Amino acid sequence: QLQLVESGGGLVQPGGSLRLSCAASGLTLGYFAIGWFRQAPGKEREGVSCISSSGGSTSYTSLVKERFYISRDNAKDTVYLQMHNLEPEDTAVYYCAASWSTACGAILPNEYDYWGQGTQVTVSS
């Protein structure tokens, strides 16, 4: 069983930056493609970014492209989401998730097998 724990969320002003971490235990993270999702109040969970198991391929939703960057360190069983130029619309609970598929697909929640508990990101002045 794979356990995922997110950290790094918080309150940040518009235009600011945060780095989220997703730490894995129980199984080797390198077996999995990892996705980041977010869910704002009253909205459906949406895919933000994905990185393949090797780290060689990444994808982003158009809403965050060129502002967010995903990376992974398989030796540390950790995946990161670096977020720049944050906007109030980025406010949400952010979740990382792992898929037994080694490649990134369309970043849809039903493609992922394990989930973390989420970390709150609030962008406000």
Side-chain angles (χ1 to χ4, degrees):
Q1 191 79 359
L2 181 69
Q3 290 84 42
L4 301 171
V5 178
E6 302 93 337
S7 61
L11 174 64
V12 62
Q13 292 187 341
S17 298
L18 280 175
R19 188 177 80 158
L20 305 182
S21 297
C22 173
S25 61
L27 292 173
T28 300
L29 194 65
Y31 292 148
F32 301 89
I34 301 296
W36 281 99
F37 295 80
R38 66 186 183 186
Q39 188 166 18
K43 294 188 176 181
E44 292 188 355
R45 191 169 297 188
E46 63 175 353
V48 173
S49 182
C50 174
I51 187 166
S52 63
S53 59
S54 67
S57 176
T58 59
S59 61
Y60 300 89
T61 179
S62 59
L63 295 173
V64 306
K65 208 166 186 179
E66 298 184 8
R67 297 191 298 123
F68 290 13
Y69 299 93
I70 192 170
S71 62
R72 68 191 298 159
D73 185 341
N74 284 344
K76 295 183 178 180
D77 284 330
T78 303
V79 173
Y80 305 97
L81 185 68
Q82 179 69 55
M83 306 185 294
H84 296 294
N85 195 21
L86 283 160
E87 304 168 352
E89 293 75 19
D90 295 316
T91 295
V93 177
Y94 283 70
Y95 301 88
C96 66
S99 171
W100 279 109
S101 173
T102 57
C104 287
I107 325 179
L108 297 173
N110 61 9
E111 295 178 346
Y112 288 78
D113 304 287
Y114 301 97
W115 291 83
Q117 83 291 346
T119 185
Q120 176 71 46
V121 172
T122 302
V123 185
S124 175
S125 55

